[in-house]
Amino acid sequence: MNDYRDIRGARSNYRKARPADTIAQHHDHSEWLRAQLAAPFDGATVVVTHRAPHPAAVPLGAPLPWCYASDLTDFIRQCQPAEWYFGHTHHPTEIMVGKTRIVNVSAEYPW
């Protein structure tokens, strides 16, 4: 994956990013999001992320699908946001996971 060749982290003395860095950041951000979704709120809850929260939101046959989506099925079913918007794949997608509507809102590629 190009990211691990091209991305360097300021917090790691500008060494190349590693898969372990991605995993650690994913866990950190997931816990932050879980805390935000647990806070009382009047009205529908909407989540907006760059990557897809479910593998079914990635086009069939996409190379390296795990690079475009995380499998947050259990997280979604527990937290039950009303809607979850994401981008990254530039492929129109709309699926339901439990009670959550998941929609790709990125613009399609011009070709």
Side-chain angles (χ1 to χ4, degrees):
M1 191 174 146
N2 293 340
D3 290 6
Y4 297 115
R5 184 188 68 220
D6 298 336
I7 296 175
R8 295 178 179 272
R11 293 183 187 165
S12 60
N13 205 23
Y14 294 99
R15 71 163 166 72
K16 289 182 180 180
R18 301 175 184 156
D21 299 328
T22 304
I23 292 166
Q25 191 172 44
H26 172 80
H27 288 297
D28 181 53
H29 291 190
S30 295
E31 290 308 310
W32 176 87
L33 183 56
R34 185 181 302 279
Q36 299 305 306
L37 293 173
F41 179 77
D42 291 330
T45 303
V46 175
V47 176
V48 180
T49 58
H50 180 70
R51 291 170 35 118
H54 196 276
V58 177
L60 289 176
L64 306 174
W66 54 87
C67 297
Y68 302 100
S70 298
D71 188 351
L72 299 179
T73 303
D74 292 339
F75 182 94
I76 294 166
R77 291 184 190 277
Q78 290 168 5
C79 297
Q80 296 185 31
E83 297 186 325
W84 193 306
Y85 299 111
F86 73 96
H88 196 58
T89 65
H90 303 275
H91 181 77
T93 303
E94 183 174 333
I95 63 171
M96 293 292 294
V97 174
K99 298 177 181 179
T100 302
R101 178 177 169 246
I102 299 173
V103 182
N104 184 332
V105 294
S106 60
E108 292 184 56
Y109 288 116
W111 56 88

